[in-house]
Amino acid sequence: MQSRKEQEPRETLESTMLKYRLYPTPEQAALLDKTFECCRYLWNRMLSDEREFYFATDLHFIPTPACYKKEAPFLKEVDSQALATVHQNLRRAFQSFFDRPGTSGYPAFKRKTGGKCTYTTYNNPAGTRIYLARDGIRLPKLGLVPARLHRKPLHWWKLKSATVTKSPSGKYFCSLLYRYPVREKPFALPAPEKTIGLNYSMPHFYVDSNGETPDPPHWLRRSEKKLALMQQRLSRMQRGSKNYEAQLQKIRLLHEHIANQRLDFVHKQSRRLADASDAVCVRDCNLQEMARELKRGSVNDSGFGMFRSCVKYKLARQGKPFVVIDKFYPSAKTCHNCGAVWEELPQEDRFWTCPTCGAQLSRERNAAENIRRQGMEKLRAETI
């Protein structure tokens, strides 16, 4: 068996998603909203009929969208590819539940209010095609939808699908999925000085093995007072009135602004890290479990999980490794100077002295250096 270092570079398919803001006409917006509702209706009907069929026969069967068009003729007015995607998504949801019952839950019904408005349609070169025009995107049943095209795909990219979404604030977006062949770069063991270890830190976002911290602003915390005042005004208004809807829209826009601030920071920081490093090592920590256990601060507000995903794919596109070490490795309790493990280290101590060699250690930087060292050992083992 060839090692990772000896394997010949091969050609693989890579995917890229380009997201554009849509500006549909009133007629197009009405048809988009109708498509969202039809997809929700079809999901609930197929799920209900599948349950009834299972209780009656002890077998699983999901009817196709064509079975419902006679009793629900309004389904013929929307894109048939979007309805077919709902059928495939429900089938995959059941398959995931049967394969991984502990992690994937049983498919649930979709709510009419408060749910996610989205549908996916696939590009069919032999039939109805999806393509970019000069100032818009051509979508099935909708025609040319005006859009802000801030980026164009390369000419050898192949368009596979389009996913249309509507944000809670009422904005429409279209995400186009492209695939293209790339040749993998030959693997080279990264230099230790250009290998970074990252340790999650609630107050600093992360601390790397060089002791650097990005210290991002806590976006939600900075807007908590303003958000609380807006929600207080909303609670005093009559539900369903024009003032109530206007105030609710302001709250939605504020939440969207906070999410955009977090996303902007994550992409800029992950790009800087991916360009400056030959390899990045992280610990496989469970952020959901940390969010339940840690009471001070907000793990979910940091966006560190999204940051790890962005670093991973940006490194992969440059042929650089992203190393994940075991979550049970005692990175904070191990002295990076002598390798001794102090099991009795209190959780609240941010600085400590190694009882073996007497080194003065910062808990977070020491953990990041140990993560980097473990990551390098893992990479060396893969090249043997």
Side-chain angles (χ1 to χ4, degrees), residues 286-294 327:
N286 191 335
L287 296 177
Q288 293 182 350
E289 184 177 344
M290 292 175 61
R292 289 192 298 265
E293 294 178 353
L294 299 178
K327 64 180 179 180

Side-chain angles (χ1 to χ4, degrees), residues 43-269:
W43 172 283
N44 292 341
R45 282 297 310 272
M46 288 191 299
L47 180 57
S48 177
D49 291 345
E50 195 280 339
R51 285 185 174 184
E52 292 181 5
F53 188 83
Y54 177 74
F55 290 144
T57 63
D58 203 26
L59 297 174
H60 292 279
F61 173 73
I62 305 176
T64 61
C67 301
Y68 299 96
K69 290 187 177 181
K70 183 175 292 186
E71 60 177 288
F74 53 86
L75 295 176
K76 300 178 182 179
E77 302 175 13
V78 300
D79 183 13
S80 60
Q81 283 287 334
L83 303 180
T85 305
V86 175
H87 180 267
Q88 294 299 320
N89 291 341
L90 184 59
R91 185 183 60 83
R92 293 192 191 101
F94 273 107
Q95 191 65 42
S96 299
F97 172 71
F98 296 138
D99 294 342
R100 301 181 298 274
T103 57
S104 299
Y106 190 85
F109 292 101
K110 296 183 182 295
R111 297 181 300 170
K112 187 172 184 178
T113 58
K116 188 176 181 181
C117 297
T118 179
Y119 76 87
T120 300
T121 181
Y122 288 88
N123 190 25
N124 184 12
T128 305
R129 294 183 62 243
I130 305 171
Y131 58 84
L132 288 179
R134 183 176 181 180
D135 53 357
I137 303 174
R138 203 272 181 194
L139 294 172
K141 293 284 187 176
L142 293 164
L144 186 63
V145 183
R148 182 184 178 187
L149 306 180
H150 61 281
R151 180 186 174 188
K152 294 292 184 69
L154 300 180
H155 66 276
W156 64 84
W157 292 7
K158 291 186 178 180
L159 178 60
K160 293 297 181 180
S161 65
T163 300
V164 182
T165 57
K166 183 181 180 182
S167 67
S169 61
K171 299 176 183 177
Y172 295 91
F173 297 91
C174 182
S175 300
L176 301 180
L177 177 65
Y178 290 90
R179 287 184 180 171
Y180 50 91
V182 292
R183 190 167 183 81
E184 289 185 349
K185 297 181 180 179
F187 175 77
L189 189 66
E193 61 273 9
K194 298 203 71 177
T195 302
I196 300 294
L198 300 183
N199 180 61
Y200 173 71
S201 171
M202 184 174 292
H204 305 295
F205 192 65
Y206 71 77
V207 177
D208 66 17
S209 52
N210 297 324
E212 298 180 359
T213 58
D215 286 329
H218 296 274
W219 304 277
L220 182 59
R221 191 177 302 171
R222 291 175 59 182
S223 302
E224 276 182 347
K225 290 184 178 180
K226 183 178 180 181
L227 188 61
L229 181 61
M230 296 173 67
Q231 290 174 336
Q232 185 183 53
R233 292 175 179 172
L234 182 69
S235 65
R236 296 171 180 172
M237 296 178 181
Q238 183 179 357
R239 183 181 295 270
S241 64
K242 290 185 178 180
N243 290 337
Y244 181 91
E245 295 297 330
Q247 185 68 15
L248 185 61
Q249 179 68 5
K250 292 179 182 179
I251 295 175
R252 289 169 178 165
L253 289 172
L254 179 58
H255 277 294
E256 186 178 273
H257 177 66
I258 295 170
N260 289 338
Q261 286 179 313
R262 185 185 300 111
L263 186 63
D264 179 72
F265 168 81
V266 164
H267 276 294
K268 288 180 179 178
Q269 191 67 23

